[in-house]
Amino acid sequence: MSRQSLTKAHQKITELSWEPTFATPATRFATDYTFEQAPKKDPLKQILRSYFPMEEEKDNRVFGAMDGAIRGNMFRQVQQRWMEWQKLFLSIIPFPEISAARAMPMAIGAVPNPQIHNGLAVQMIDEVRHSTIQMNLKRLYMNHYIDPAGFDISEKAFANCYAGTIGRQFGEGFITGDAITAANVYLTLVAETAFTNTLFVAMPSEAAANGDYLLPTVFHSVQSDESRHISNGYSILLMALADERNRQLLERDLRYAWWNNHAVVDAAIGTFIEYGTKDRRRDRDSYAEMWRRWIYDDYYRSYLIPLEKYGLVIPHDLVEEAWNRIWNKGYVHRVAQFFATGWPVNFWRIDGMTDADFEWFEDKYPGWYEQFGRWWEAYNRLRHPGSNKPIAFEDVGYEYPHRCWSCMVPCLIREDMVADEVDGQWRTYCSQTCHWTDKTAFRPTYEGRPTPSMGRLTGEREWEKLYHGWDLADIIKELGYVRDDGRTLVPQPHLDLDDPRKLWTLDDVRGLTFNSPNTLLNEMTPEQREAHLAAYRANRNVTA
Amino acid sequence: MATPTGRSFPHPELTDAEAGALTFPSSNSRTFNYFKPRKLRASMYEDVTMDVQPDPGRHLTQGWIYGFANGERGYPVEWTALRSGDWHAFLDPNEEWEQTIYRNNAGVVRQIGLNLDNARRAGAYQTWPRSWALFVEQHVGAWMHAEHGLGMHVFIAAQRSAPTNMINNAVAVNGAHKLRFAQDLALYNLDLSEAVPGFDGSAHRGAWQSEPVWQGVRENVERLTTVEDWGEAVLAANLVFEPLVGELFRSHLVMQIAARNGDYTTPTIMGAGEYDYSRDLRYTRALFAMLLKDEKHGRANAEVAGEWLARWTPVSLAAVRRLQPIWSQPPERVLSFEDSLDRAKERFRGLLSDLGLDEPKELER
Amino acid sequence: MTKHRVRFEPVEIEIEADEDETILEAAFRQGVLLMHGCKEGQCSSCKSFLLDGDLQMDRYSTFALADYESEEGYVLLCKGHAYSDLDIELINYDEDMIRAGIPIGLVDAEVAEIADLTHDITHLRLNGSMPFRPGQYADIQVPGTGEWRSFSMANRPGEGRLDFIVKRYPGGRFSGLLEGTLRLGDPLRLKGPYGAFTLREKSDRNLLFIGGGAGMAPILSLLAQLRDQRVRRPAVYYYGARTERDLFHLDLMAGFEAELPAFSFVPALSHDPSYAGEKGLITDVVDRLAGDPAESDAYLCGPPPMIDAALDLLERKGLPREHVYFDKFTTTAHQE
């Protein structure tokens, strides 16, 4: 379509909406935000008659690449270290994608401007595309990668694994609670605008460096749809800013959304990229360097800060603190260490770190060895069954952490842990902001103002509680993380498939009792609790 | 070999990590094993759709971790009055996933594009009598709004709400069809206003907003947008409005009389809408067939569906009656309103009896 | 280094680009916010249409820009380099925001000159450079505090210095410092540039400037731009003051009248019945003298009551609201 006719056509389709007079659409999803029906242009002139063929063309390229990868025996050169993490990543990501589709009517219902609706509707179709195309990528991995275990139970494992739950809030955050908090601030303004670059630029380039060029193909095709979504978020934000009454809510939501996205996405993507790669070139950017470039310089400084002039209160302190956690407090490393500690209840295998890895980490993150090095040495030492238990049950100077009630990543930066009795229960939080999220933000009033539409934190938020007092072997069976011989575990703390004796089985983990730190915390006397918390915060958790 | 200095690139290795390289437990476990496929092997559609929306009734052990202010979480089954012993038993007979969505819709886009190009080149609109041009400008034009309203505020809204990914995706695709078809009609209207002398490209808005003949249809569409129960919305739109009003107008009027009036392009556009509906009806029938045959809840579901039919049949019939005068407007009339309506009712009865639903008494009022 | 002119439609913004920088980078450098996402040629947020010129692209993802789109003339600005002057039509942009001036930079400058222009208006010159577009403003930090005050630049960009016109108020947080506290060589921190009070260059309508007080600053910058670009559009600048001692820069105005082909400066005094020139409120003077301004672009800068009165007047005179420009931040921020 020529450019002139595109403009005309776009003008024409704005005629489709009308002012209803008999009845107005149901308000299924409430918001505490208020919007004037000011005219606002659809910034992206997206017309379905050019959209469908354009996406079909992209699809053809994706499927062509898939054929090519199989014909070229791509899996002869993929790194197992990388592919194993894809079992977790690709179990999670289709859910946030489909949730974004489901979130679109929440935004459509909340914003009265028909011009904006068009872009949101197209985003819905995009998201159905992304979810199913990612499922298909995973299916291909399952069919062609050496170890399909973990891919084969993917969506079930997503739904019952502690790590899936951390990821799930990314998607659930889009579809529940105040419609604008969820579908605009959390989804488009923060998740899509800030954090998709690490997802869609950093992940693919790391995949390619590890011999996988299919993930780049699929994820680049996904990312090329993001411009629409970024524009949708931006338009709604500018409209929200036009009404003074929204400022306080925007401030609250940006704090929550920023911090939760940081806690969840940096935990996951940071781990995949830093601990899932075999590419240890010195000049390969670390996750921290990428974060600094895409999230700090680009999103924070060139996207958020200019909006300050329009009344947006930006959580400068939290941006700085997120960086501080990544750079000075070793956030990503602590998360990776935690995932590896918990390997028996994972549904993927985690490779140990080698000398080349050690060198790279020390170079990129000075001081890394002092905090983490000996623990990874212990991990290697304890990787095979027979003479030892899984590392979590051996004394390597690592104390199993409390969960954060809000972001569900454990309280790994121990000195920052907040404990409080909330809703009649002792809860632990990884940070002050996560404490605030539960205690202050997700409540029916906020700073004295009624917020009747705000969501709630619900569910069995501490995964460990489900299995308090269970035998580890029974937990793994219950989760279904057992291979088709009925005894070998799906997860393994190494990549050695060559010798069955190196593979852990249910028998190797039987007799180990698993406890919920939160249940224990609530059973303590006040004095015991105080002492426990002080000791927890003071423990540097370093392997001697 | 000389390596240019300063150039750094990753060094992929040969790892032999392909399927079959080694034999070990689960080395051949190459199917998603957390759901039972309908046939021996899962279809692509099942693989990429099943369980992507988790369910506390299946694998979701921690439950939904966010709730609405009123305590509802995730995708409550209470968001419809319909009940099912196993919501996950529904599979979309169209097996829609991304590839089918884009192939189908891109195919329709291309077909319409070719038809319009040809019509323009052949000067097909030159022979239209003025009164037919008026009919297209007003009434074919007005219809775009009905499609748009249903797409944006009924189907896209409803795809947030059903308890499974299979249902929600089918409804989402339905919404995409409606929006595309509404745009097809709008852009056709734009074409005509450039090609047909005197064609008023803005008349459709007035017709839809205030012409008495269209007010019943508009009221029906607007009332459909108020329905909160997603099951009721899908039933009232696809099993009542579509056969009684949609097909009546698209098939039993426009497609029948256009050719007699020298117009062979409009039917090709309308035909795209009918093709969409045939796909959308397929999933709707499959869904309701499943619910009405449900061992435990079938009878209660039939009762609920009966109430909805009783509520919506009169609304759509009233819309149809008010539309009646346009049957006499085209210069060449081939069939009477009553003939068209009889066909539409016949179709409606057929749909209901296939599903084993009683015909609402309101139909003959 | 070869520089080329890049013009963006339909927003009528022009920048310069070197061949070795991307157009997106060049725009950023010059304070023009273009929609973008990944800056890696992958997300297509910066997809635009090349109307004219030689633009060549680095490697990009064909998902972001399919071959057929590239053949039609679509380009990605994050991967595009200018090899001639370019005209580019933006597709994805927000009109309100594009002129906001990005990236907002922090700039350290030092005081180079402080001079009285009138009894309560001071000329402040800082050594320091910040890219900006004529008509934009910056925030200056009140030293030792977290507070900022907004002032428009009175000079042309690219001169390595920043000129401001500051009205001093008794007890003013920043302006008070100009009465002896701030000294030559003192450091000041600035943030900016901000604002959309910039020349709509594509328009060929007459220009109507209305201002008062320290609001002369951005208009001086715009007049200098008109002069340097040899713009021939008829222009009048109505400037309101109370008495003759409130007038300043009359020499500069005389200079513009001589150098610009069709420009006149009309000062008017509201509290000096003996003044030989125009008398009365500036809006009354405009009302009387401006005839039919409906075919004009109006640029307003001055105290808020003057802006409000001018908006009413222009509306009455049939000048479409979208042809009236003023900056709501600087109009109020000048009041301390």
Side-chain angles (χ1 to χ4, degrees), chain B residues 86-98:
Chain B
D86 180 12
W87 282 107
H88 299 266
F90 169 77
L91 295 181
D92 178 0
N94 301 313
E95 308 217 313
E96 296 280 15
W97 69 295
E98 63 118 8

Side-chain angles (χ1 to χ4, degrees), chain A residues 424-469:
Chain A
Q425 175 190 25
W426 276 92
R427 296 176 180 172
T428 49
Y429 304 91
C430 71
S431 56
Q432 286 181 346
T433 308
C434 273
H435 175 241
W436 166 90
T437 298
D438 183 21
K439 193 161 184 177
T440 309
F442 276 75
R443 299 284 159 175
T445 58
Y446 178 70
E447 294 178 345
R449 154 198 189 136
T451 48
S453 311
M454 191 60 179
R456 300 286 180 272
L457 303 190
T458 62
E460 294 290 343
R461 295 185 78 85
E462 198 216 17
W463 178 86
E464 288 82 354
K465 192 177 167 204
L466 300 176
Y467 306 104
H468 183 62

Side-chain angles (χ1 to χ4, degrees), chain C residues 80-244:
Chain C
H81 298 261
Y83 290 94
S84 75
D85 288 354
L86 303 178
D87 285 333
I88 290 172
E89 181 173 317
L90 301 177
I91 300 172
N92 181 15
Y93 63 94
D94 190 287
E95 273 176 308
D96 300 339
M97 288 299 296
I98 194 162
R99 293 162 194 277
I102 310 283
I104 308 295
L106 278 176
V107 176
D108 289 311
E110 62 181 47
V111 178
E113 201 178 314
I114 298 178
D116 283 351
L117 292 171
T118 72
H119 62 101
D120 65 353
I121 292 182
T122 297
H123 161 79
L124 171 67
R125 171 166 294 176
L126 305 180
N127 280 334
S129 64
M130 173 171 66
F132 67 91
R133 295 165 30 77
Q136 288 196 294
Y137 67 96
D139 283 357
I140 305 182
Q141 189 169 26
V142 182
T145 76
E147 289 183 56
W148 301 80
R149 292 289 181 268
S150 306
F151 300 99
S152 298
M153 278 65 78
N155 58 327
R156 287 276 280 149
E159 296 177 340
R161 59 189 168 81
L162 301 164
D163 286 350
F164 299 95
I165 298 175
V166 183
K167 173 149 189 189
R168 299 191 310 277
Y169 294 88
R173 292 282 279 153
F174 182 80
S175 65
L177 303 176
L178 297 175
E179 295 175 324
T181 315
L182 266 190
R183 292 180 181 281
L184 298 192
D186 281 358
L188 281 177
R189 175 156 264 215
L190 285 80
K191 204 163 56 167
Y194 297 110
F197 191 70
T198 53
L199 192 67
R200 273 49 173 183
E201 296 173 40
K202 202 180 181 185
S203 161
D204 53 7
R205 289 180 288 274
N206 297 349
L207 288 158
L208 177 60
F209 299 100
I210 304 176
M216 183 181 284
I219 295 176
L220 272 181
S221 187
L222 291 175
L223 289 172
Q225 180 188 9
L226 292 175
R227 180 193 60 205
D228 296 353
Q229 295 181 354
R230 298 170 199 281
V231 175
R232 309 190 65 83
R233 293 157 67 184
V236 188
Y237 180 12
Y238 293 93
Y239 182 82
R242 288 163 65 85
T243 66
E244 212 156 350

Side-chain angles (χ1 to χ4, degrees), chain A residues 28 78 139 142 152 165 461, chain B residues 15 29 47 62 65 227:
Chain A
R28 292 177 179 82
V78 295
R139 187 175 182 266
M142 174 176 69
D152 57 354
T165 315
R461 295 185 78 85
Chain B
T15 55
S29 179
D47 272 351
Q62 286 178 264
I65 53 179
V227 179

Side-chain angles (χ1 to χ4, degrees), chain A residues 375-520:
Chain A
W375 187 89
W376 280 102
E377 286 164 2
Y379 181 86
N380 279 340
R381 198 168 62 241
L382 300 169
R383 72 182 184 276
H384 292 142
S387 53
N388 53 265
K389 296 177 273 195
I391 188 166
F393 295 87
E394 291 281 354
D395 182 12
V396 294
Y398 183 86
E399 181 189 357
Y400 192 86
H402 281 286
R403 283 277 160 185
C404 176
W405 194 263
S406 292
C407 73
M408 295 169 152
V409 181
C411 308
L412 297 167
I413 300 166
R414 303 171 72 94
E415 63 273 23
D416 288 352
M417 181 174 75
V418 176
D420 191 10
E421 195 172 0
V422 179
D423 298 336
Q425 175 190 25
W426 276 92
R427 296 176 180 172
T428 49
Y429 304 91
C430 71
S431 56
Q432 286 181 346
T433 308
C434 273
H435 175 241
W436 166 90
T437 298
D438 183 21
K439 193 161 184 177
T440 309
F442 276 75
R443 299 284 159 175
T445 58
Y446 178 70
E447 294 178 345
R449 154 198 189 136
T451 48
S453 311
M454 191 60 179
R456 300 286 180 272
L457 303 190
T458 62
E460 294 290 343
R461 295 185 78 85
E462 198 216 17
W463 178 86
E464 288 82 354
K465 192 177 167 204
L466 300 176
Y467 306 104
H468 183 62
W470 283 43
D471 188 287
L472 183 60
D474 294 334
I475 299 175
I476 298 171
K477 254 172 90 172
E478 171 76 12
L479 291 168
Y481 302 171
V482 183
R483 291 174 184 257
D484 60 8
D485 62 351
R487 52 190 293 270
T488 307
L489 308 187
V490 171
Q492 300 289 334
H494 59 75
L495 301 176
D496 312 328
L497 294 171
D498 52 335
D499 180 354
R501 283 168 301 180
K502 294 177 181 168
L503 298 177
W504 294 69
T505 66
L506 287 171
D507 296 335
D508 299 317
V509 296
R510 201 175 303 285
L512 301 168
T513 306
F514 190 81
N515 281 318
S516 143
N518 185 265
T519 305
L520 298 176

Side-chain angles (χ1 to χ4, degrees), chain B residues 71-147:
Chain B
E72 291 177 325
R73 306 202 249 154
Y75 296 83
V77 290
E78 294 79 21
W79 281 359
T80 179
L82 299 164
R83 293 289 172 265
S84 169
D86 180 12
W87 282 107
H88 299 266
F90 169 77
L91 295 181
D92 178 0
N94 301 313
E95 308 217 313
E96 296 280 15
W97 69 295
E98 63 118 8
Q99 212 174 28
T100 61
I101 297 172
Y102 293 105
R103 282 187 178 167
N104 272 317
N105 283 286
V108 171
V109 164
R110 275 190 207 98
Q111 185 193 325
I112 290 179
L114 284 176
N115 289 340
L116 293 185
D117 273 359
N118 286 336
R120 223 174 291 130
R121 254 199 310 277
Y125 312 129
Q126 313 306 320
T127 56
W128 284 14
R130 176 67 197 136
S131 54
W132 177 251
L134 264 175
F135 182 89
V136 173
E137 150 191 310
Q138 303 253 330
H139 304 312
V140 174
W143 189 255
M144 68 173 82
H145 300 288
E147 297 286 344

Side-chain angles (χ1 to χ4, degrees), chain A residues 8 12 18 22 28 51 56 59 76 78 102 139 142 145 152 165 168 175 281 283 460-461 484, chain B residues 8 15 18 26 29-30 47 62-63 65 67 98 102 110 159-160 169 189 194 201 204 222 227:
Chain A
K8 258 196 269 177
K12 184 72 190 178
W18 74 94
F22 296 103
R28 292 177 179 82
Y51 169 79
E56 189 194 33
D59 267 7
R76 286 182 191 170
V78 295
R102 309 299 178 234
R139 187 175 182 266
M142 174 176 69
Y145 169 62
D152 57 354
T165 315
R168 207 173 62 249
I175 53 165
R281 286 169 300 137
D283 54 358
E460 294 290 343
R461 295 185 78 85
D484 60 8
Chain B
S8 164
T15 55
E18 69 180 344
S26 281
S29 179
R30 300 190 187 275
D47 272 351
Q62 286 178 264
I65 53 179
E98 63 118 8
Y102 293 105
R110 275 190 207 98
Q159 59 90 42
R160 165 64 186 86
N169 273 3
N189 181 282
E194 284 168 358
H204 62 94
E222 289 182 13
V227 179

